[in-house]
Amino acid sequence: MLDIKYIAEHPEEIKSGMAKKGYTKEMLDVDALIALYKDIAALKTSSQALSEEKNKLSNSIKTASAEERPAIIAKSKSIGEELKVEQEKLAAEQAKYDDMMLRMPNMPSPESPVGKDDSENVVRRKVGTPRTFDFTPRDHVELMELNDWSELERITKVCGSRTYAIKNELARLELAIHMLVIDKLAANGFTVINVPSLSKEKPLYGQGYLPFSRDEIYYMPQDDLYLSGTAELILNSLRADELLNENELPILYAGFSPCFRREAGAAGKDTRGLTRVHQFMKTEQFVICKNDIAESEKWHQKLLALSEEVLQDLELPYQVLEVCTGDMGAPKYRQYDLEAWVPTQNCYRETHSCSNITDWQARRTNLRYRDNTDGKVKYAFTLNNTGIATPRALVPFLENHQQADGTVRIPEKLQPYMGGKKFIGKNAR
RNA sequence: GGAGAGUUGGCAGAGUGGUAAUGCAGCGGAUUGCUAAUCCGUCAUCCUGUUAAAGGGAUGCACAGGUUCGAGUCCUGUACUCUCCGCCA
């Protein structure tokens, strides 16, 4: 959510920011929003004048004489009727206004490349060199079948499409990678927190998932609960409605949770293997920091560096993508994606998404802190980034580290989490 | 699933139908000086107002309704917390 006063004072700046994100006047009319805001202010002024009069009358009853009272009560009642009409009008306008405000996207950073869709994202750097194979590399599904690491066909009979079951060393590898990431984040001052995958509706608005993409979310009407697509959802609302002391900031969370996505908009995409499944595990990085662009940029870089370190520890070649304005979601101020090299697809595939949300989410969740220097109450800034998401990350992992004999090499940093093993697979010694 | 108790500002905590006490912490100011204290104001949101303030007003006691001239207080529903019982990985 944005500051309506800022919108009203800088309409052209807001319009140009929205245009960069691909919003048209038909989708969301800023001038209409501002007009509505002014209408509401006028309605508030007039209804508050009525309230004031009514309060005065009510307070005068106590000291009024018995003869005076009936007239005062009658007058107060009639103002009450008038007030009720005004307030109903106000509530109707307010509902329209709230709906528009919830749909207002965050303004993109001036640093973000301007573009219409993912084709205009900019590669900032490439780290590591895609491996050249002296044998024909197997894709990750072949490797899993060869090594008895999965139950892909059987599990879809039981659980439906886009589900996965992995077993033996690969099942342990999945958890080992999470532990490596969790240890790294803990060593960097993050609070490790395992959170539920169930959510009420309100946090989905707080995160900015709703009202935008309801189709993507599993909903259980019997309990009025949703399945979380990411721990960011839960962590973003964990401190909602709190007024923090600045000394408590920054708050760093390493949140682990099972994640659920309907993948309704991805029909037919990535249907083979582990790339796009309905349920997966994610360790998420989440930061709540001061209301300060420079400070948040610093944390944004830190989060990015941590996830780059993860890919380096896993010895995966990757590229850092700066996401352009048109490909960024509504909540985002600035976004980087990390993509790891997938040999059999001959391209980089997304593993991490690192975003600075500024105060857009905190305004929705009413997450504030009191500033130490001026004593003022301010909205906090939030940032989030993937720590690691599996099984997706196993795709480049298996394919990049495969050997001619079908075994998979375990990078040095991961070996302690795999009982010291240097290779896994049927032919591993 | 059942029974009981509870939910008041950043925190603590009073308030049984008539303007939300008080303390602590934070911020601003004044004063005394000797490293701390004292006093005053402010300290949740919104409207109005202003270059900015000041000032005025409305709202706010978990949430949503209701009764009433007037609700933190009475009534109804909901959420959550705690205690106990039941069931349970």
Side-chain angles (χ1 to χ4, degrees):
Chain A
M1 218 147 64
L2 300 175
D3 180 1
I4 185 61
K5 285 185 180 154
Y6 192 88
I7 296 174
E9 283 164 18
H10 307 86
E12 296 313 315
E13 185 189 328
I14 298 292
K15 283 179 206 168
S16 99
M18 287 171 71
K20 284 184 187 174
K21 282 201 166 185
Y23 281 72
T24 60
K25 192 183 169 95
E26 287 68 41
M27 290 162 73
L28 198 45
D29 186 339
V30 176
D31 293 322
L33 176 67
I34 295 170
L36 193 52
Y37 166 64
K38 290 188 172 153
D39 278 357
I40 288 172
L43 266 175
K44 276 184 184 167
T45 306
S46 61
S47 85
Q48 284 182 9
L50 286 174
S51 290
E52 183 181 358
E53 201 183 340
K54 188 160 170 280
N55 288 346
K56 280 184 179 151
L57 288 171
S58 290
N59 289 333
S60 72
I61 283 174
K62 207 180 156 190
T63 51
S65 67
E67 305 83 74
E68 291 169 330
R69 278 186 190 184
I72 297 172
I73 288 172
K75 175 78 178 157
S76 181
K77 262 187 170 166
S78 86
I79 292 174
E81 305 279 318
E82 233 180 299
L83 192 56
K84 204 171 176 187
V85 173
E86 289 259 307
Q87 281 172 344
E88 273 164 13
K89 218 157 77 185
L90 185 59
E93 298 276 279
Q94 186 75 42
K96 270 193 260 175
Y97 168 85
D98 289 345
D99 173 66
M100 286 180 94
M101 283 299 278
L102 281 172
R103 289 188 291 117
M104 283 291 289
N106 201 356
M107 292 294 105
S109 160
E111 308 292 325
S112 292
V114 176
K116 60 178 188 320
D117 57 37
D118 60 1
S119 67
E120 295 187 66
N121 293 341
V122 175
V123 176
R124 289 297 185 208
R125 58 180 172 274
K126 291 177 191 282
V127 177
T129 315
R131 181 175 157 198
T132 45
F133 289 87
D134 50 12
F135 58 94
T136 306
R138 298 173 168 95
D139 79 9
H140 72 283
V141 177
E142 292 171 309
L143 286 165
M144 291 195 297
E145 281 165 359
L146 183 71
N147 289 299
D148 193 26
W149 280 340
S150 64
E151 291 286 5
L152 295 187
E153 280 183 34
R154 289 192 180 105
I155 207 64
T156 50
K157 281 184 198 160
V158 180
C159 307
S161 65
R162 294 196 188 279
T163 60
Y164 76 103
I166 52 177
K167 59 183 181 175
N168 296 320
E169 292 154 309
L170 191 59
R172 297 179 60 200
L173 180 73
E174 182 177 32
L175 298 174
I177 292 175
H178 280 282
M179 276 312 298
L180 174 131
V181 172
I182 285 168
D183 281 356
K184 180 185 295 296
L185 294 177
N188 278 276
F190 284 69
T191 300
V192 177
I193 178 167
N194 298 344
V195 297
S197 303
L198 295 172
S199 176
K200 296 184 179 183
E201 189 174 70
K202 209 174 162 194
L204 287 154
Y205 282 96
Q207 183 197 15
Y209 218 85
L210 290 178
F212 302 103
S213 13
R214 191 171 283 276
D215 283 356
E216 270 303 299
I217 318 163
Y218 286 104
Y219 173 60
M220 293 165 289
Q222 203 171 5
D223 300 289
D224 196 21
L225 287 171
Y226 295 81
L227 287 177
S228 158
T230 163
E232 175 205 346
L233 169 69
I234 311 300
L235 297 173
N236 181 54
S237 277
L238 191 60
R239 313 300 293 265
D241 295 313
E242 289 190 31
L243 180 46
L244 303 167
N245 187 307
E246 190 189 316
N247 299 335
E248 296 176 64
L249 302 178
I251 294 172
L252 313 177
Y253 288 124
F256 175 85
S257 76
C259 302
F260 298 84
R261 299 190 184 180
R262 289 187 68 229
E263 299 293 356
K269 247 198 236 172
D270 304 319
T271 47
R272 180 172 165 85
L274 303 179
T275 302
R276 195 179 293 273
V277 286
H278 286 311
Q279 177 181 350
F280 57 99
M281 289 186 231
K282 186 148 67 82
T283 298
E284 177 81 353
Q285 310 178 58
F286 191 83
V287 172
I288 303 171
C289 78
K290 284 199 289 188
N291 188 307
D292 182 86
I293 288 287
E295 164 105 0
S296 71
E297 293 275 14
K298 196 192 83 188
W299 280 109
H300 198 201
Q301 294 301 320
K302 175 71 179 173
L303 294 183
L304 180 63
L306 282 167
S307 49
E308 284 193 60
E309 228 181 81
V310 167
L311 292 180
Q312 287 163 21
D313 286 358
L314 297 179
E315 297 180 21
L316 299 174
Y318 65 91
Q319 63 179 11
V320 180
L321 215 57
E322 172 131 25
V323 176
C324 76
T325 53
D327 193 34
M328 263 186 227
K332 294 165 185 194
Y333 169 76
R334 195 171 182 186
Q335 178 183 355
Y336 299 104
D337 281 356
L338 292 186
E339 298 184 329
W341 179 254
V342 179
T344 63
Q345 295 176 26
N346 201 36
C347 66
Y348 291 92
R349 297 298 306 260
E350 181 183 328
T351 57
H352 292 73
S353 185
C354 182
S355 303
N356 184 353
I357 311 293
T358 62
D359 61 357
W360 192 87
Q361 284 178 333
R363 285 179 181 277
R364 293 174 162 243
T365 56
N366 194 30
L367 171 58
R368 301 153 303 157
Y369 69 97
R370 195 181 294 279
D371 191 290
N372 277 346
T373 47
D374 56 16
K376 292 236 167 71
V377 173
K378 296 178 179 170
Y379 288 103
F381 276 19
T382 58
L383 303 97
N384 65 80
N385 184 10
T386 316
I388 196 76
T390 61
R392 173 175 287 199
L394 299 176
V395 175
F397 187 93
L398 293 178
E399 294 196 10
N400 277 290
H401 297 316
Q402 65 177 297
Q403 309 296 309
D405 64 359
T407 60
V408 169
R409 185 175 64 85
I410 304 296
E412 204 179 316
K413 289 271 174 57
L414 195 57
Q415 288 171 13
Y417 296 93
M418 285 300 286
K421 281 188 181 152
K422 292 186 169 64
F423 291 91
I424 56 171
K426 277 200 163 152
N427 296 322
R429 280 162 293 144

